[in-house]
């Protein structure tokens, strides 16, 4: 902080002596001076913004105080509804950088890239003002003369440019980078947790009463994949090592018509089960047909037990069928490794093998897809994982797989006999893909090993690799070693490292002698007996005080190692993975449907195809295959007064509906198609909103954008037609509303329709601010006749009914009934809430009467709401307007008095 010496001349006076052809005025000279800077020809703003201490100070303030705000663009207003991916970030106001803890920023970033959001990162005004004010105190002169003040103005301009042109944009860029890095770290962590949950699962455990031999470390699995016919439903039998024993195609098992073929396949499946006697059946949850397939398989098992109780035994009596997620088996089916492992087998067989092997050994099955092709990255685990690059995802895959593999260990003798079990070898510490492949070739060639030291002497392990990896490689008895008389060291099947074998041996011998079972002779027999002794009597190990023992042996520095050795001798390579649990009802529902809690929930908008129409119900099919039920009461408002749903709905119709409820145990979705419910934001509060979410519903700027957007859309859809008719005008919907705005209710205009040249639209003013737009379909027009487009068709269809003249047969009778309702003594002005309040007041004055009144339906223009109060709460019925009269409760009434009489009687 050097004291500044102010020049006696003002900036303009000094600059005037330097004017030239390039800098013609003093102002231009001063501007050039500010940008020329010091001796190094670096401008003063750049020099200030590059100063390390300045950047450090501004960086600290910016990162601690900066806030993020988002507002939708014109496209964003239209595209982002309450269930859109970006709905939760549509309106954020001043959210601090420090409050971004999840992957929300990645959504904001993507929405900005798609030009759906405007995003700002800035310092709050108070903080920014203080930052610049403090900087001015350091940078400006303390002089009070007029010349000093003018020079200070130049310095202020330099500071302003340093902050707004360099420092703040640089800080914003760094903040964006920081937010991206932080969000990706969080997302990677979530991705890793989901992968851990899938991988760190114990194999399916056989039941306690299973008397199979101990050599079968995993259950025998019968895997089944449903097939539509080509390919057929397929059963694959796997032995306890995951090798294919047999397979069966049973395409007729799904049939409901050809009972003879179905019975034949049932008998074939029954023989298949009896021949192989699996411990468990796993059925791929491909679609809802698998629910029936599971029932069919159980029926076969029950009949088998009933007919042959002695032959099948108690194991078949309790044979369990579990559903399996087909997502990973499908990836395996389409991978190169499955073709190499199961050559000449069709895809559905490879899928079934992957399904069964995942139940037997989840770790090995996942590791199988972690080869050079990285097929594991095709396994979709998290909805937002597309924000991560393949390298980022695979880095997390490696971390998880290394952790789980080294926690579980690898039985190298078992893997030598079954290639697919070698897959986790690459994740053993110290190896990797290349070393693991080399070791695998060497072990397969040798056939079996009897001690861990063989890895060092016979399989090319260097000392460093051996030291890193050997503690996680298990050498234990297998089919090959059991036939040999060579000694297998029990410590080679423990997590104890060979470097600590001497500690383990001493501990075992000391316990052996102390128990009174050994003598003073130290030989191999005593050592073997000591290890065996402590393994068979783990209570002796549990009783050891490790601290006291280490102190006696002068090995306090090895106390932690001795404790680990004690625990490992009690139960070597104890599986610490979470036990396998059968899928819950929710799990099964989402597996069958392919949906998630995000994609299918109450209140969500879905598309449904009408599959069958019944008088009071339409049975629909969602895009996921789930069944949707649409009752007549939940149909679109202008359909509810039809006698039956079949009058309006037809098989194959595509509907836009909102989910009312989900019955997961029945795989059934209740739908509504009513416009007022489909368009409402009733369920928006189901989304967990950000505390900094503040929607700006009404602003001048957004209002103008919305109006402009609607005008542009109307222009695109508007197809002008010149029609010779007294009620027709060549105008848009908005222009029609403007035209009728000062007219009386009942006035109307016919205008072109956006649906094409064979359609028109009738815009009818129902009430002030309420307009009904009805499609008019011109039937039987000759499209080749040019003059046909100049006049309204001789036959028209409106809301399902046909008329030979629009005005006389449809509009005029409709308006007559409209005016009759508006002039009726029980008609009430106002919206639904206001009419309810009027009737409440009337009820309070006449508590013994059932009060009622008619009001305009603002949600469904062209109809009325009959509101009545019997005790305390208002009830509502819909009355629709028709040229024939009034439709109420599926009946037509020629006038209001008849309708009211019917209402009062019922």
């Amino acid at each position: 902080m050097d004291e500044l010496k102010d020049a006696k001349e003002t900036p303009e006076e000094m600059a005037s002596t330097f004017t030239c052809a390039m800098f013609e005025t003093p102002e231009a000279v001063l501007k050039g001076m500010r940008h020329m800077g010091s001796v190094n020809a670096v401008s003063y703003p750049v020099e200030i913004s590059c100063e390390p201490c300045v950047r450090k100070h501004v960086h600290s303030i910016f990162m601690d105080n900066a806030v993020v705000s988002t507002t939708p663009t014109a496209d964003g207003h239209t595209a982002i509804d309450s269930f859109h991916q970006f709905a939760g970030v549509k309106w954020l106001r001043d959210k601090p950088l420090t409050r971004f803890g999840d992957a929300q920023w990645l959504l904001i970033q993507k929405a900005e890239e798609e030009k759906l959001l405007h995003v700002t990162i800035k310092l709050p005004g108070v903080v920014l003002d203080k930052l610049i004010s403090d900087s001015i105190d350091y940078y400006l002169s303390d002089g009070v003369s007029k010349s000093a003040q003018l020079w200070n103005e130049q310095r202020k301009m330099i500071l302003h440019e340093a902050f707004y042109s360099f420092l703040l944009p640089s800080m914003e860029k760094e903040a964006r980078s920081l937010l991206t890095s932080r969000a990706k770290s969080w997302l990677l962590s979530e991705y890793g947790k989901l992968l851990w949950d899938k991988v760190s699962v114990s194999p399916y455990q056989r039941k306690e009463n299973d008397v199979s031999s101990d050599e079968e470390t995993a259950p025998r699995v019968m895997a089944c994949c449903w097939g539509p016919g080509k390919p057929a439903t397929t059963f694959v039998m796997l032995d306890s090592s995951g090798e294919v024993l047999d397979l069966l195609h049973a395409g007729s098992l799904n049939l409901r018509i050809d009972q003879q073929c179905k019975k034949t396949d049932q008998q074939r499946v029954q023989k298949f089960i009896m021949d192989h006697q699996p411990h468990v059946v796993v059925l791929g949850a491909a679609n809802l047909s698998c629910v029936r397939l599971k029932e069919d398989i159980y029926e076969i098992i029950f009949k088998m037990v009933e007919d042959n109780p002695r032959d099948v035994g108690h194991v078949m009596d309790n044979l369990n069928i579990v559903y399996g997620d087909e997502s990973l088996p499908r990836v395996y089916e389409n991978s190169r490794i499955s073709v190499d492992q199961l050559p000449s087998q069709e895809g559905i067989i490879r899928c079934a093998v992957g399904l069964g092997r995942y139940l037997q050994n989840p770790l090995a099955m996942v590791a199988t897809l972690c080869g050079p092709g990285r097929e594991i990255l095709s396994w979709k685990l998290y909805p937002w994982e597309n924000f991560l690059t393949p390298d980022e995802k695979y880095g997390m895959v490696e971390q998880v797989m290394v952790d789980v593999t080294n926690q579980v260990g690898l039985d190298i003798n078992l893997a030598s006999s079954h290639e697919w079990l070698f897959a986790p070898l690459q994740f053993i510490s110290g190896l990797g893909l290349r070393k693991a492949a080399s070791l695998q070739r060497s072990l397969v060639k040798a056939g079996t090993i009897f001690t861990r030291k063989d890895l060092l002497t016979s399989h090319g392990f260097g000392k460093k690799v051996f030291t890193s990896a050997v503690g996680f490689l298990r050498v234990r008895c297998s089919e090959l070693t059991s036939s040999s008389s060579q000694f297998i060291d029990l410590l080679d099947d423990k997590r104890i490292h060979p470097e600590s074998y001497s500690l383990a041996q001493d501990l075992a011998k000391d316990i052996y002698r102390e128990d009174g079972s050994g003598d003073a002779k130290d030989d191999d027999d005593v050592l073997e007996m000591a290890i065996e002794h402590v393994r068979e009597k783990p209570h002796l190990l549990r009783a050891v005080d490790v601290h006291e023992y280490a102190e006696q042996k002068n090995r306090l520095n090895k106390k932690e190692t001795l404790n680990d050795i004690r625990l490992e001798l009690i139960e070597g390579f104890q599986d610490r993975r979470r036990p396998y649990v059968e899928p819950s009802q929710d799990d099964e529902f989402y597996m069958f449907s392919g949906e998630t809690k995000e994609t299918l929930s109450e209140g969500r908008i879905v598309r449904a195809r009408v599959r069958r129409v019944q008088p009071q119900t339409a049975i629909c099919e969602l895009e996921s295959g789930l069944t949707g039920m649409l009752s007549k009461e939940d149909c679109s408002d202008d359909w509810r007064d039809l006698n039956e749903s079949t009058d309006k709905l037809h098989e194959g119709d595509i509907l836009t509906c909102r989910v009312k409820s989900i019955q997961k145990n029945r795989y059934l979705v209740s739908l509504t198609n009513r416009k007022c419910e489909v368009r409402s934001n009733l369920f928006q509060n189901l989304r967990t909103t950000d505390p900094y979410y503040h929607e700006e519903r009404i602003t001048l700027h957004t209002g103008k954008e919305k109006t402009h957007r609607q005008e542009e859309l109307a222009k695109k859809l508007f197809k002008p037609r010149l029609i010779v008719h007294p009620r027709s005008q060549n105008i848009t919907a908005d222009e029609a509303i403007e035209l009728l705005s000062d007219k009386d209710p009942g006035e109307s205009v016919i205008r072109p329709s956006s649906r094409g040249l064979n359609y028109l639209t009738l815009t009818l003013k129902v009430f002030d601010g309420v307009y009904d737009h009805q499609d008019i379909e011109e039937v039987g027009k000759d499209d080749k006749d040019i003059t046909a487009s100049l006049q309204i068709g001789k036959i028209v269809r409106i809301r399902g009914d046909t008329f030979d003249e629009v005005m006389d047969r449809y509009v005029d009778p409709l308006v007559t009934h409209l005016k009759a309702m508006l002039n009726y003594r029980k008609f009430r002005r106002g919206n639904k809430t206001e009419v309810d309040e009027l009737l409440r007041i009337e009820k309070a004055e006449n508590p013994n009467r059932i009060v009622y009144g008619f009001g305009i339906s603002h949600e469904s223009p062209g109809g009325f709401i009959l509101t009545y109060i019997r005790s305390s709460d208002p009830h509502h019925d819909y009355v629709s307007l028709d040229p024939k009269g009034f439709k109420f409760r599926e009946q037509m009434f020629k006038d209001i008095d008849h309708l009211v009489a019917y209402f009062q009687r019922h």
Side-chain angles (χ1 to χ4, degrees), residues 196-203 575-581:
W196 178 275
D197 289 341
K198 297 287 187 182
V199 177
S200 186
V201 181
S202 296
D575 195 343
R576 294 182 174 89
R577 293 174 291 181
R578 63 181 178 86
Y580 169 83
V581 178

Side-chain angles (χ1 to χ4, degrees), residues 66-280:
V67 293
V68 177
S69 298
T70 63
T71 54
T73 62
D75 290 336
H77 272 295
T78 307
I80 305 175
D81 60 14
S82 58
F83 285 99
H84 194 278
Q85 182 185 19
F86 304 142
V89 296
K90 186 177 181 180
W91 296 95
L92 292 182
R93 184 192 300 167
D94 296 343
K95 181 169 183 176
L97 297 183
T98 53
R99 298 302 299 271
F100 282 86
D102 55 16
Q104 188 186 54
W105 171 253
L106 298 178
L107 284 178
I108 296 173
Q109 200 174 41
K110 183 180 180 184
E112 187 180 31
E113 290 172 359
E114 294 179 7
K115 294 182 171 37
L116 297 178
L117 288 183
H118 294 298
V119 182
T120 60
I121 302 178
K122 62 182 181 180
L123 282 174
V126 176
V127 179
L128 180 59
D129 291 344
K130 186 176 187 308
L131 175 63
I132 294 180
S133 174
D134 290 346
S135 302
I136 286 174
D137 290 342
Y138 286 111
Y139 192 59
L140 267 59
S141 167
D142 293 330
V144 294
S145 65
K146 181 179 179 181
S147 174
Q149 294 301 313
L150 291 174
W151 280 109
N152 277 343
E153 289 301 320
Q154 294 295 317
R155 296 185 182 105
K156 285 182 181 179
M157 284 189 273
I158 291 172
L159 274 180
H160 188 278
E161 187 168 355
F163 274 98
Y164 289 98
S165 297
F166 298 102
L167 277 170
L168 294 179
S170 172
M171 294 299 117
E172 180 183 350
K173 184 177 180 181
E174 190 171 339
R176 286 174 174 269
S177 177
L178 175 66
L179 288 171
T180 302
S181 174
R182 189 186 297 165
K184 282 200 169 186
S185 295
W186 180 90
L187 186 55
L188 272 172
S189 176
E190 292 299 304
Y191 178 80
K193 289 176 185 175
L194 287 172
L195 181 62
W196 178 275
D197 289 341
K198 297 287 187 182
V199 177
S200 186
V201 181
S202 296
Y204 181 89
Q205 296 298 312
R206 290 177 290 169
K207 296 179 180 178
E208 293 180 0
N209 58 0
D210 190 349
V211 294
S212 302
S213 62
D214 292 334
E215 283 78 13
E216 292 183 326
T217 55
R220 295 190 303 276
V221 176
M222 186 174 80
C224 174
C225 283
W226 177 88
K230 292 184 179 179
T233 296
T234 300
F235 295 85
V236 172
M237 187 64 209
L238 302 178
D239 65 13
S240 61
S241 300
E243 301 295 346
V244 178
L245 292 176
D246 199 358
L247 57 92
L248 173 70
H249 296 292
S252 300
L253 205 59
N254 308 328
L255 299 180
R256 298 288 173 263
I257 300 175
D258 193 340
Q259 292 299 315
Q260 184 58 45
C261 290
K262 179 177 179 178
K263 185 176 180 181
T264 302
D265 269 357
Q266 285 177 330
Q267 292 172 348
R268 293 171 63 223
V269 173
Q270 179 177 327
K271 184 178 185 304
F272 191 81
I273 296 174
M274 289 185 66
D275 288 347
H276 299 293
Q277 298 205 359
H279 295 119
V280 63

Side-chain angles (χ1 to χ4, degrees), residues 402-416:
V402 166
D403 284 348
V404 180
T405 301
N406 289 289
Q407 182 190 80
V408 175
L410 180 70
D411 184 345
I412 52 180
N413 280 330
L414 182 62
S416 296

